[in-house]
Amino acid sequence: METLAATGDVKRKSFFRDWILTVDHKKIGIMYALTSIIFFFFGGLAAILIRTQLALPDTQVLEPQQFNQAFTVHGTIMIFLWIIPMLTGAFGNYLVPIMIGAHDMAFPRMNALSFWLFLLGGLVLFVSFFVGAVPDVGWTAYPPYSIESQGAGLDFWITSVHILGLSSILAAINFIVSTWNMRTEGMTFNRMPLFVWANLVTSFIQLFGTPALAGAVTTLLLDRHFGTVFYNVQAGGDPMLYQHLFWFYSHPAVYVMIIPAMGIVSEILPVFARKPIFGYKAIAYSSIMIGLLGFMVWAHHMFVAGMQMTEGIPFMITSMIIAVPTSIKIFNWLATLWGGQIKYTTPMLFVSLGFLGLFTIGGLSGIMLGAVPLDLHLHDTYFVVAHFHYVVFGGSMTAIMAGMFFWFPKVTGRMYHEKFGQVAFWMYFIGTNLTFFPMHFIGMAGMPRRVFFYQPELTTLNQVATIGSFVIGIASLLLIANLVHAIFKGQKAVQNPWGAQTLEWTNASSPPTEFNFEEMPVVTSDPYQFGEKKDGKTLDDDGVTA
């Protein structure tokens, strides 16, 4: 590989060989991104349909079963086909090898297999549309209703989850081995970029959590078609077993969706604050704490499922404790901003006002829901919907948007339109708050989620939420239009337009060559030394010594 990279003697390949058969981590990352974005628009369309139905208390935009199918497809797509693959598959694949100074992943062919399994899993879910059996049981697929659900829709859903789970496990193994063994000279663990730390912890969560989900949906399939009674109460089964298995994976899955997002925040904040990251080790090690504690809180989703109060108390306590490492990150990010020479570019707006502001709201409401007395009253209301979306939309989504703008020049070699980028941010920010903040009050008023009709006195708040969802939809189209236009008409980007200090900016061209580096980099310090001296010289605004 080094010989080809050095000589540049790389023959032009056909599209089939160049992309379909590629094992290049960068191209695999781009394919993850493009595929996830396509799935995102289907998931977003389902959300628009849900909110259109709820604009009035008694409309008939959707039939009741279609409404159930819409929120099932929306949840499944957004979690399994958009946020997780975008953060780990797209950003992880493209960035981790370059950030650690490697030519590629440890197992390039397995990496390609992970992507194709991800695509296959998504297509299997969509097959249910064409056979007229769209799953309608919610993304949790709780028994006993899921056992009795008619048609093949849920079977396609289970098959899809299995395939996507296998893809995640293979990718996790690859990331762990690559990060452990392929770091360049001088890249110690305590010099790794914080996104790499976040991706490493996320990989361990996927590796140990995903088999529990596989066990849950496999036993569900056996109950549906092979006469087993795992969840059949009349025959001695217990539906609670499914919930335990499901949430043992699915609560840590929330951290799969948020820890890499936190990694993106940690990369962008110091660059545009022109300050070293405050508390590097605290941020890195708090990711480990979140990953470990994430496996100890799953039952807080089950306080109303028949648990004894005494059984819920330990999970209430661990749910409170997990706020500590999360708070450590937020305090360190705020300290990084304090006194900085902040440049409010589009990616900085998304991580500072967007992620920090919106995710904090979701985190605080999560602490409230972790308390047994409050959860008993608010469980399965729109308050939970508000909390969850402030975490994954206000947190994960804004970080994804920030990352797309931040690394766009690196991936494409082109600059996006800054003004349109900022317009998209403000529309996202306003639309997110219009959509999800009223849901706190709707939930406290007692409106359950996943309902088709509601009381007329909640009409105004629901209409505000619906208007907000349309604002988000327009912002999404504007964002994509900006990036697509920039690919063809955007100004050419220099190697390091932000003056960042991680290896993908300092040692790789924009876009990087096939094997990333002309010469293997040697690392002598951590990548966030803005304003500090390096080798006796001070780093200037372009991130180089002067």
Side-chain angles (χ1 to χ4, degrees), residues 115-127:
F115 166 74
W116 291 111
L117 285 172
F118 158 65
L119 178 60
L120 176 63
L123 293 177
V124 168
L125 177 68
F126 276 73
V127 165

Side-chain angles (χ1 to χ4, degrees), residues 272 343-350 401-410 412-424 478-487 489-493 497-498 505:
F272 295 110
K343 295 180 180 178
Y344 282 108
T345 59
T346 301
M348 187 59 165
L349 284 170
F350 270 106
M401 297 304 167
M404 287 174 67
F405 281 106
F406 184 64
W407 282 290
F408 184 83
K410 178 54 56 181
T412 66
R414 300 280 178 173
M415 297 299 293
Y416 61 87
H417 196 287
E418 179 63 34
K419 185 173 290 184
F420 285 137
Q422 296 193 14
V423 170
L478 178 62
L479 183 148
I480 295 300
N482 187 359
L483 298 185
V484 171
H485 177 268
I487 290 174
K489 300 290 184 180
Q491 181 184 356
K492 284 191 176 182
W498 311 129
W505 295 109

